[in-house]
Amino acid sequence: MDIDKYTSHDKILVAVDCIIFGFDGHELKALLIKRAFEPEKGKWSLMGGFVSQDESTDEAAGRVLLQLTGMNNVYMEQLYCFSDVNRDAAGRVISVAYFALINIADYSEQLQLEHEAKWFPLAQVPALIFDHKEMVALAKERLQQKVANHPIGFELLPGKFTLPQLQNLYEAIYEEPLDKRNFTRKVLSLGILNKLDEKEKESSRKGAFYYVFDKGKYSKLHREGVKFI
Amino acid sequence: MDIDKYTSHDKILVAVDCIIFGFDGHELKALLIKRAFEPEKGKWSLMGGFVSQDESTDEAAGRVLLQLTGMNNVYMEQLYCFSDVNRDAAGRVISVAYFALINIADYSEQLQLEHEAKWFPLAQVPALIFDHKEMVALAKERLQQKVANHPIGFELLPGKFTLPQLQNLYEAIYEEPLDKRNFTRKVLSLGILNKLDEKEKESSRKGAFYYVFDKGKYSKLHREGVKFI
DNA sequence: CCAAAAGTGTTTCTATTACACCCATGT
DNA sequence: ACATGGGTGTAATAGAAACACTTTTGG
C-alpha cells in the first residue's frame, strides 16, 4: 500500500453516529446519550465515535453500537453522510450516520446507567447537538420506507411475537392506525411467519398466539419487490 | 471553531466519486474517464476528487461534476459512503459516491476529449478501478427506485421531449418494455406535463408532440407518495 | 400506396380498503 | 356475567395489466 500517492490532499476527521431504534410495545423510541466529552458535554446526543485509519465506517458503527449496547449482530444500515463544513462546532468532522434496530428488551439497564443513555419516544426527542436531530428525522423516514418492502421490523421485536404486537409496531413506525383484519391477512399471506402453539397471556385474557419469523421461507421470495405492509 | 478538541483521532482522506448518467434516446449510459494519475493511471474510472477541508461532500461532488462537464445546476444526489479499508490500493480513502443526471446532448465534445471521457451503455461498462463497478451498480438500482416515485427522469431529457422519448427513457432505466397506452395514460394523468403545439419530426413521418415538465404543477402534488411509473 | 411510428379505449384482473361480530378467558 | 382484547370474511373500489386498430405523412 503506497500511502504517499495522495499526500497533497486534506485529511479530515470522520465519525459515525448511530440512530438506535427500539420498540417498547407501544412507541418507537431512539436511544440517546448524554455526551461525555467536550464540546457540548452533557447535552443529549446520538452515540457516535471517530473512524480510525484501520476500520471501515461499518466497522466503526458496529464498534460504537457494541460499546453502548453490548450487542453484536444487530441490524444496522448506513443512512447518509453528513458533511457540512460547520456541522460540528469544534472542528471539521464528516459524519456517516447509521441506524440500528434492536430488541429493546435485550438492552441492559446496566449499560444504560454507565453511558447516561435514555430511550426517547420519537415524538419527544429533546434538543440534540449539531445536526443530530436531522439525522434522527432522516432515519425515521428511511425506516418507514424500508419496512414497507423489507422484513426488518422483526428486528425490533423479540424472537417470538404476536400479531397484535407486530401491528402495534407497524402503527408506531407509520404513525397511523392500521386495520386489524387487513393487516393480519396481508402479513400471513406472505407465508414468512410460523405460528407457535404457545400464547402470550400478559396483555389479554384470551391470549394471542406467538409467531416467529421464518428467514428461510423469506429467502425463497425475491429479495426485492416484496411489499410488506 | 476550536479544531484542537479532537486531535487524538485519525484523519482520513475523503473523496467523492460521481456516477454520471445520460440518455441518448435509446440506452442509459454512464460517463467514465481514463484516470489521469497514479495509481491505476489510464484505467477506466468514475470521475472523482478529494474533499478539501473547507467544503462539504456535496460541494466537492458539484465541483468535480463542473470540472468534467462544465455544467452547474445538475441534478445530483448522494448515493452511499464506501469505506472499506482497502478499497483504494494506494492508501486509505473513504469515498462518498454521488450520482448525477444530465441531458447527454448538453455535454460538450470538447470536454470529453480533454478528459478522455466516454459514455458507456450500462450493460457495457468496462472493468473499473477499485470499487467503482459496485458504485455504478448501486447507482443504477437507486435510480430505478427513485424514478418510480420522483419526477427526476426529466433531468435526462431535453427541456422538451415527446412521450415516446419519455417511454424509451423509462424502458431503458427499468430494462423492460412498457405498454404504450398504459404508460401514456399514467404519465398524462399526473397532470405535470404541458403539451406543446410543436412536433418532433426526426424519428417518424407522423411526428410526435413535444411536452414540457411543469415543475409548478408538480410542486402542488404531495412531495412524496406520488407514484410515477 | 406503403412503411413506420404516433395516438387512442375497453375489459380483466388484482390489490386495497372499508367494515362488525363472535370468541376465549380471568376476574 | 362481564370486560377485555383476539380472531375472522365479504363486498366495494381503485389501480394495474393486457390487448389491436386507426392515423399521419414522407418517400
Side-chain angles (χ1 to χ4, degrees):
Chain A
M1 194 148 100
D2 184 355
I3 199 66
D4 294 318
K5 291 291 201 295
Y6 300 138
T7 41
S8 66
H9 300 285
D10 295 348
K11 288 187 170 188
I12 301 176
L13 284 166
V14 179
V16 292
D17 285 299
C18 297
I19 298 95
I20 301 168
F21 287 114
F23 177 65
D24 67 359
H26 302 281
E27 286 179 303
L28 190 62
K29 297 183 169 182
L31 186 60
L32 303 173
I33 60 164
K34 276 210 172 151
R35 187 162 153 112
F37 52 92
E38 294 295 346
E40 307 282 359
K41 184 173 172 178
K43 297 202 181 158
W44 289 107
S45 158
L46 292 170
M47 180 73 179
F50 287 94
V51 177
S52 68
Q53 194 64 230
D54 60 356
E55 66 180 353
S56 65
T57 55
D58 285 12
E59 286 161 353
R63 175 172 56 74
V64 161
L65 190 83
L66 178 64
Q67 213 177 314
L68 178 59
T69 65
M71 294 181 200
N72 244 321
N73 295 43
V74 166
Y75 181 85
M76 196 171 226
E77 181 177 327
Q78 189 190 116
L79 181 63
Y80 198 76
C81 171
F82 291 80
S83 67
D84 277 6
V85 172
N86 297 310
R87 56 170 295 282
D88 184 322
R92 179 71 202 283
V93 182
I94 288 175
S95 175
V96 184
Y98 282 75
F99 74 89
L101 306 180
I102 72 176
N103 175 5
I104 207 168
D106 291 350
Y107 180 62
S108 128
E109 292 286 332
Q110 179 56 29
L111 285 164
Q112 185 160 346
L113 293 174
E114 273 176 38
H115 290 91
E116 298 197 77
K118 202 179 151 196
W119 288 102
F120 287 88
L122 281 198
Q124 291 148 46
V125 166
L128 298 178
I129 63 166
F130 308 157
D131 48 6
H132 287 195
K133 197 138 200 169
E134 206 184 321
M135 292 179 180
V136 173
L138 187 64
K140 186 180 96 178
E141 238 176 73
R142 266 281 261 293
L143 178 62
Q144 288 176 338
Q145 292 165 15
K146 191 91 181 191
V147 293
N149 297 298
H150 302 266
I152 60 171
F154 308 110
E155 307 283 344
L156 289 160
L157 294 172
K160 56 188 188 185
F161 50 84
T162 67
L163 292 181
Q165 285 168 358
L166 187 62
Q167 181 174 343
N168 284 344
L169 170 63
Y170 274 86
E171 289 178 335
I173 294 174
Y174 290 152
E175 296 175 324
E176 66 183 31
L178 299 172
D179 180 88
K180 184 171 40 160
R181 282 170 290 190
N182 293 341
F183 180 85
T184 307
R185 183 182 330 113
K186 200 158 163 188
V187 151
L188 293 180
S189 76
L190 296 170
I192 57 174
L193 297 185
N194 294 331
K195 189 177 188 171
L196 304 185
D197 276 338
E198 197 184 352
K199 274 186 168 182
E200 187 276 334
K201 311 268 292 180
E202 299 286 305
S203 49
S204 79
R205 306 277 156 91
K206 185 175 179 179
F209 281 104
Y210 279 119
Y211 288 78
V212 293
F213 172 50
D214 187 329
K215 213 163 184 170
K217 284 183 185 165
Y218 172 67
S219 301
K220 283 173 192 152
L221 298 178
H222 0 291
R223 263 79 171 89
E224 308 293 330
V226 186
K227 274 274 231 155
F228 270 80
I229 309 300
Chain B
M1 194 150 98
D2 184 355
I3 198 66
D4 294 318
K5 290 290 202 297
Y6 300 136
T7 40
S8 66
H9 300 285
D10 294 348
K11 289 187 168 189
I12 300 175
L13 284 166
V14 179
V16 292
D17 285 298
C18 297
I19 298 95
I20 302 169
F21 287 113
F23 177 64
D24 67 359
H26 302 281
E27 286 180 303
L28 189 62
K29 296 183 170 183
L31 186 60
L32 302 173
I33 60 163
K34 276 211 172 151
R35 187 161 153 114
F37 53 91
E38 293 295 347
E40 305 283 359
K41 183 173 173 179
K43 297 203 181 157
W44 289 107
S45 159
L46 293 170
M47 180 73 177
F50 286 94
V51 178
S52 68
Q53 194 63 231
D54 60 357
E55 66 180 355
S56 66
T57 55
D58 285 12
E59 286 161 352
R63 173 172 58 73
V64 160
L65 191 82
L66 178 64
Q67 214 178 311
L68 178 59
T69 66
M71 295 181 198
N72 243 321
N73 294 40
V74 166
Y75 181 85
M76 196 170 224
E77 181 177 320
Q78 189 189 116
L79 181 62
Y80 198 77
C81 171
F82 291 79
S83 68
D84 277 5
V85 172
N86 297 309
R87 55 169 295 283
D88 184 322
R92 179 70 202 281
V93 181
I94 288 175
S95 175
V96 183
Y98 282 75
F99 75 89
L101 306 181
I102 71 175
N103 175 5
I104 208 167
D106 291 350
Y107 179 62
S108 131
E109 292 286 332
Q110 179 56 30
L111 285 164
Q112 185 160 346
L113 292 174
E114 273 176 37
H115 289 92
E116 297 197 80
K118 200 178 149 195
W119 288 100
F120 287 87
L122 281 198
Q124 290 146 48
V125 166
L128 298 177
I129 63 166
F130 306 158
D131 48 7
H132 288 195
K133 198 137 200 171
E134 206 184 322
M135 292 179 179
V136 173
L138 188 63
K140 186 181 95 177
E141 237 176 74
R142 265 282 261 293
L143 178 61
Q144 288 176 338
Q145 291 166 16
K146 191 90 182 190
V147 293
N149 298 297
H150 302 265
I152 60 172
F154 308 112
E155 307 284 344
L156 289 160
L157 293 172
K160 56 187 188 186
F161 50 84
T162 67
L163 291 182
Q165 284 168 0
L166 187 61
Q167 181 174 345
N168 284 345
L169 170 63
Y170 274 86
E171 289 177 335
I173 293 174
Y174 290 151
E175 296 176 323
E176 66 183 30
L178 298 172
D179 180 89
K180 183 170 42 162
R181 282 169 291 189
N182 292 341
F183 181 85
T184 307
R185 182 181 332 110
K186 200 160 165 187
V187 151
L188 293 180
S189 76
L190 295 169
I192 57 174
L193 297 185
N194 293 331
K195 188 177 188 171
L196 305 184
D197 276 337
E198 197 184 353
K199 273 187 169 184
E200 186 276 333
K201 311 269 293 180
E202 299 287 305
S203 50
S204 79
R205 306 277 155 90
K206 186 175 178 180
F209 281 104
Y210 278 119
Y211 288 79
V212 293
F213 172 51
D214 187 329
K215 213 163 182 169
K217 284 183 185 166
Y218 172 67
S219 302
K220 283 174 194 151
L221 298 178
H222 0 291
R223 263 80 172 87
E224 307 293 331
V226 188
K227 274 276 230 153
F228 270 80
I229 309 300

